[in-house]
Amino acid sequence: MSTIAALARDCVALSPETSIAAAAETLLDSACEPFLSLPVLEGNRPVGVLTRHAVQQVYLSRFGRDLYGRRTVADLMQRDPICVEADSTVEDASPQVTARIGFPIREDFIITRDGDYAGMGVVVDLLKAMDQRIARRNQELAGALHRLKESQAHLVQSEKMASLGQMVAGVAHELNTPLGYVRNNVEMLQGLVAGLRAVADETLDLVHLLGDADADPDHVAAQVMATRQRLDRDAPQLLLEDLGQLLEDTIYGCTQIGELVSSLKDFSRLDRAASEDVDINECVAGALLIARNVLKERVEVLRDLGDLPPIACVPSQINQVLLNLITNGAQAIDGRGRILVRTRHEGGHVSITVQDTGKGIPRDVLPRIFDPFFTTKPVGQGTGLGLAICYRIVQEHGGALRVASAPGRGTRFVVSLPVSRDLPATAANTALPAPEHRRMHA
Amino acid sequence: MNDPRQATVLFVDDEERILRTLNILFRPLCRVLVTTDPQEALRLVSEQRIDVVVSDQRMPQMLGAELLAGVRERSPDTVRILLTGYSDLDAAIDAVNDGGIWRYLSKPWTVDGIQKTVREAVAVALAQRTAALEARDAPAAPESRPDATCEILVIDSEPHSAAAVRGIVGGARPVHEATNLTQAVELLGKRPIGVVVTEAMVNGDDMTHLLHTLKQNYPDVVGIVVTAMRDTPRLIRLINQAQVFRYLPKPLRPGMLARSLEASIARHQEARRSVAAVPAALRVEEAASEAERTLSQRIGSYLARLRARPAATATG
Ligand SMILES: Nc1ncnc2c1ncn2[C@@H]1O[C@H](COP(=O)(O)OP(=O)(O)OP(=O)(O)O)[C@@H](O)[C@H]1O
Ligand SMILES: [Mg+2]
């Protein structure tokens, strides 16, 4: 913490009784060069400053030297010097000094300790000190801004991770169900195959015996019995009857697993950042599949997908928008409800409507829902970034995101995207939207 | 009547293919019922004797934990198993605290694994049923032991848990406090402990092993785990290997702790009567690793030396 004391310079002090001529001599001394004014003390108490300017005025006027030379400093001094206590900070002192200083600057300020003279302060020194402080402040602020940006990016990332986590949870469940019966079926079939092989071996032995003219009839009879027993024991008729069904289920399960995996891949589309010919209906299907985890139990989904031209967009981002809107819709529904997803081609635009039968958004809340971090959900359940990110993505695609809500009845979001346009150049890094005006109420 | 093939196992899942494959797998071993409808499952449980219920967790009409809680209400002796595709801690906690599940199985399963578990569940159900019948035929016995002999042991390195338990139990029954494994084992040897309230980890020792060993040797001891850890695999181990009775998140809520203690004491007393009939090997899954087994054996032999309780000689 730097105080004014650090700025104190040694300086010759004058007494009020000093003659002006003597004071003028002193001012010419090179030791006094840095100063615009010299302190005038009574004992240790500052009573004024004698400015270089005042002395010059005297000496420049006609006969000034003869008229004033013998008079005392007390007659010419500025009687209300600027005094600053040595232990005040640069920040505190600076406004005190600047409030008093005239223009052009003609005096310096006196530094005091408990009212006693402790040195002179030069305005330029004060300015330099302030400058340093401001530079340091700026550095601190830049650092803070950087950290803030980082933690914001981190939050955006963790919002993405959270929805990814939820998605993975849902998909894991979706995958483990078919895996469960596929594996069980295959294990049972493995057992069955081992049994059938044993039966085949016994049967082969029997065939050999039957073909052997010298075979002992008792031996043949015993082998017939053994084969029969094998058949009963190791190839249970029941399982054989179910074989077709089990195989069918197994193939069905594998298809399901394959579909899930490929839609997961389509969904993130990391191998395809921006694309010219994206089928938005495919995005909708993918998002609904991925969102099945949030929807499954309670929410019925109605699809009304129109004929759409391919459009230029970043499909993974459009998927993120759709997933956010669908998730919000599902979360707004207490108990059972419906979500309608409609796509249309109108004019030069493709519109995607996500409409829910949820609790709606109160009129006073509506203007805030796109704000970053605005959420009405309990801590830990919503980051409030969902819609902010949606807004930003749609904006970067040159589109519009509109909302209309009827409290108690439901909410409708409409994403509208232009069919042809230049692809968003940096659409890949989604930052937060600036808080400008950006809502239209449909 | 103790023939497993006479036992009935009910499978509930919203995926028909799961039911089909399980039906074919278990058909040769026991009587199998299947349904995709949890309401139907509850109806079946109320109407007939069902020994084991195996339920999926996520179903459109009802969660598995909810269904198993309903089964427990209607038919407490039915052994309950959760079979789930995704491990989610809250679901597992509900399944323990409300559904009182005996095992937690994950999809996809292995044929050997699920057959073993269901076979054991059937054996437990049959043994419990026999014990219940015997208890009914010999009506004098149950109340002979005064309930004051059920003492409580709290194991936690910090004092809050013991204070909370004392606050609830008051002077009604002794509450002992251990801050490490050695103290806990000593107290278990000396005192007639019926309920153990323990942190999941105490001074770096995983209390799953202690609970596992206890359950093997003294099946009537009831375990409550209190912890701030949100660790699903650990909870699943606690269910499958230590038959944990309640799993309470910290910070403890007094109301919840009070209800859990009351239920645990009741469970302990009931277990004194019936569980002794269940063969030791069936009570808990084998601890998995060699290290866990040696720790288990160490605790076990230490306990055996310290403790000469009738329950031990009767079942051990
Ligand atoms: N379909 C909807 N119905 C009712 N309210 C909604 C709907 N969509 C958004 N909201 C309101 O807007 C708020 C902000 O939504 P946003 O998606 O930005 O964040 P969030 O859903 O709260 O959190 P997150 O998306 O991180 O889970 C929500 O908290 C909710 O109050
Ligand atoms: Mg949201």
Side-chain angles (χ1 to χ4, degrees), chain A residues 176 184-185 242 245 249 293, chain B residues 20-21 27 58 85 109 111:
Chain A
N176 282 336
N184 201 60
N185 289 350
D242 290 313
Q245 182 71 60
D249 284 358
N293 181 37
Chain B
R20 189 144 54 223
T21 195
R27 226 161 35 186
R58 286 208 199 173
W109 61 89
V111 161

Side-chain angles (χ1 to χ4, degrees), chain A residues 159 324-325 327-328 331 377 382-387:
Chain A
E159 143 82 24
N324 268 322
L325 295 179
T327 308
N328 279 348
Q331 288 170 343
K377 289 162 196 171
T383 61
L385 286 176
L387 285 176

Side-chain angles (χ1 to χ4, degrees), chain B residues 82-102:
Chain B
L82 196 71
L83 175 61
T84 172
Y86 184 71
S87 52
D88 144 23
L89 182 69
D90 294 322
I93 291 177
D94 288 349
V96 170
N97 292 349
D98 304 336
I101 59 167
W102 183 75

Side-chain angles (χ1 to χ4, degrees), chain B residues 162-175:
Chain B
V165 171
R166 285 214 176 90
I168 289 162
V169 175
R173 62 185 71 246
V175 174

Side-chain angles (χ1 to χ4, degrees), chain B residues 57 69 101 117 138 155 164 188 207 251 259:
Chain B
Q57 167 64 3
I101 59 167
T117 304
I155 315 170
L188 281 162
M207 289 296 126
R259 281 194 301 281

Side-chain angles (χ1 to χ4, degrees), chain A residues 159 328 332 356 360-361 369 374-377 382-384 386-387 411 413:
Chain A
E159 143 82 24
N328 279 348
D356 63 68
I361 306 174
I369 57 170
F374 175 78
T375 179
T376 55
K377 289 162 196 171
T383 61
L387 285 176
T411 303
F413 283 90

